[in-house]
Amino acid sequence: MELDSVKSLISAYEDLSIYTSNKVHEAVEGIIKAHGITYEQLCLLRMLEKKPGTSPVQIASLLDINKSGVSIRVNRLVDKGYIEKRMIDNRSFGLYNTALGTSIYLEGERKIHELVGEWIKEVGEKDSKEFIRIYLKINETIMRQKAKK
């Protein structure tokens, strides 16, 4: 592939990625403001809804951030009563959404589904599935590269 073509693809990816991420963020802006959380914290609630009992170490690994960064985010959500820590053994604990945390997650999920659902209707199911297939392939590449480091 020629350098100009690669640069053009990278530029298009950046533009699209930033724009769509901003649109998703805008869709949940009212929810995160109303509950005094960040978009990242809403994503944490989503993660815990999908995988209850995830540990801070697992979160740090999945998000590729340090444990202290996870601790700050987690402690703020615990203080607000949105998540809780449950001991797994004498040295570790898992994180779980509280009923309030689950309701916030569901509010955000509804808004995102409304937005992305409209995109899928416009684009069509076939192209949407192809987009997801390619995006998963990109994610697998990222994970493989991360594992090599």
Side-chain angles (χ1 to χ4, degrees):
M1 208 179 292
E2 291 187 32
L3 185 58
D4 286 344
S5 178
V6 171
K7 285 181 179 179
S8 175
L9 288 170
I10 291 169
S11 179
Y13 172 80
E14 288 175 328
D15 292 345
L16 292 169
S17 177
I18 291 166
Y19 183 76
T20 55
S21 293
N22 284 343
K23 288 298 171 190
V24 170
H25 192 249
E26 285 173 13
V28 295
E29 187 76 27
I31 295 164
I32 62 178
K33 281 185 177 178
H35 297 287
I37 61 173
T38 65
Y39 181 72
E40 284 179 328
Q41 289 169 323
L42 181 63
C43 291
L44 255 175
L45 292 175
R46 183 180 192 280
M47 181 184 289
L48 294 177
E49 197 66 32
K50 301 288 182 185
K51 292 184 179 185
T54 303
S55 73
V57 172
Q58 291 169 316
I59 292 169
S61 176
L62 287 167
L63 299 179
D64 203 19
I65 58 177
N66 62 41
K67 263 180 44 176
S68 64
V70 172
S71 292
I72 291 167
R73 291 166 179 89
V74 164
N75 289 336
R76 288 182 180 151
L77 290 170
V78 168
D79 291 345
K80 290 181 180 291
Y82 300 156
I83 65 173
E84 62 185 5
K85 299 175 182 181
R86 294 185 199 158
M87 294 305 295
I88 295 171
D89 56 37
N90 289 337
R91 296 183 329 198
S92 61
F93 58 88
L95 300 168
Y96 297 83
N97 285 345
T98 63
L100 186 54
T102 294
S103 73
I104 294 166
Y105 153 76
L106 289 172
E107 276 184 78
E109 196 75 350
R110 184 180 53 77
K111 288 285 192 184
I112 292 169
H113 279 231
E114 287 172 6
L115 174 68
V116 177
E118 288 298 317
W119 295 347
I120 290 170
K121 283 180 196 172
E122 285 283 324
V123 172
E125 186 178 351
K126 182 181 175 192
D127 286 343
S128 296
K129 285 181 177 180
E130 182 65 6
F131 167 77
I132 295 299
R133 185 192 68 75
I134 292 167
Y135 217 78
L136 287 169
K137 192 172 185 177
I138 291 168
N139 195 53
E140 289 168 6
T141 300
I142 293 166
M143 298 307 257
R144 219 178 12 261
Q145 289 173 350
K146 181 182 169 188
K148 286 180 183 177
K149 288 182 181 180

